[in-house]
Amino acid sequence: MSHGIKAQREKRIDDYLDLYNYAVSIKDEDWQKKILAELSAPAYDERTELRMQQRDELISYFNDVNQTLIFLYRKLQSESEQASREQLWEQIWTLKRIRVEIGKKMRAFKEALSS
C-alpha cells in the first residue's frame, strides 16, 4: 500500500475515533454503535483505494496529454516548414493514440469501482 493511501486511511480512522470519543462524552449510544460499525466495516478496502489512486493518476496523465496536444496544435498553426509540420503531426497522432488507451483504462477503472 502506498504511503499516501495509508496516510489517508489512518486519518479516516483517527477522525472516526475522535467522533467516537465525542459520542461517548455526550452519551449517544446509537451514534457510538454507528461509528463502531463504520470502523469495523470500512467503506473502501485497500484494493479499492489503490484503484482510485491509479484512476486519479490516469486522469492526471490524460490531462497532461491534452495540454501537450493543445500546445502542439498551436505550434502547428505557426509552423511554416513542411518537415517540422510533419513531425508535429506524428507527435499529435501518437498522443491521440495514447489518449485513447488512457480513456480505455479509465473506463475499466470506472467499471471496476462500480461493481
Side-chain angles (χ1 to χ4, degrees):
M1 178 171 23
S2 77
H3 178 69
I5 292 173
K6 186 176 181 180
Q8 287 175 345
R9 186 172 190 177
E10 289 173 357
K11 169 107 173 74
R12 181 177 170 272
I13 291 170
D14 286 345
D15 290 345
Y16 272 106
L17 290 174
D18 289 341
L19 289 173
Y20 181 77
N21 287 332
Y22 180 69
V24 168
S25 72
I26 63 171
K27 297 177 176 51
D28 188 333
E29 291 180 16
D30 288 337
W31 193 19
Q32 291 173 38
K33 289 176 187 174
K34 289 178 184 176
I35 293 169
L36 287 176
E38 279 292 322
L39 284 169
S40 63
Y44 299 107
D45 63 10
E46 292 175 10
R47 287 172 290 159
T48 301
E49 290 179 20
L50 181 59
R51 284 187 201 123
M52 290 175 63
Q53 182 183 21
Q54 290 170 335
R55 182 206 57 197
D56 291 345
E57 289 171 0
L58 279 175
I59 290 170
S60 177
Y61 186 38
F62 187 85
N63 290 335
D64 290 346
V65 168
N66 280 336
Q67 290 300 317
T68 304
L69 280 168
I70 290 168
F71 171 77
L72 290 175
Y73 275 121
R74 288 182 179 151
K75 193 170 178 181
L76 184 66
Q77 290 173 342
S78 64
E79 185 60 57
S80 60
E81 188 179 314
Q82 186 61 27
S84 295
R85 289 179 62 82
E86 288 175 10
Q87 186 179 23
L88 288 170
W89 274 115
E90 285 179 31
Q91 291 174 354
I92 288 169
W93 283 111
T94 299
L95 288 173
K96 283 185 167 192
R97 285 191 293 275
I98 290 170
R99 189 173 61 178
V100 167
E101 291 303 314
I102 295 170
K104 288 177 184 176
K105 289 179 183 178
M106 289 168 61
R107 280 188 294 281
F109 275 111
K110 182 178 178 183
E111 291 171 7
L113 288 173
S114 64
S115 61

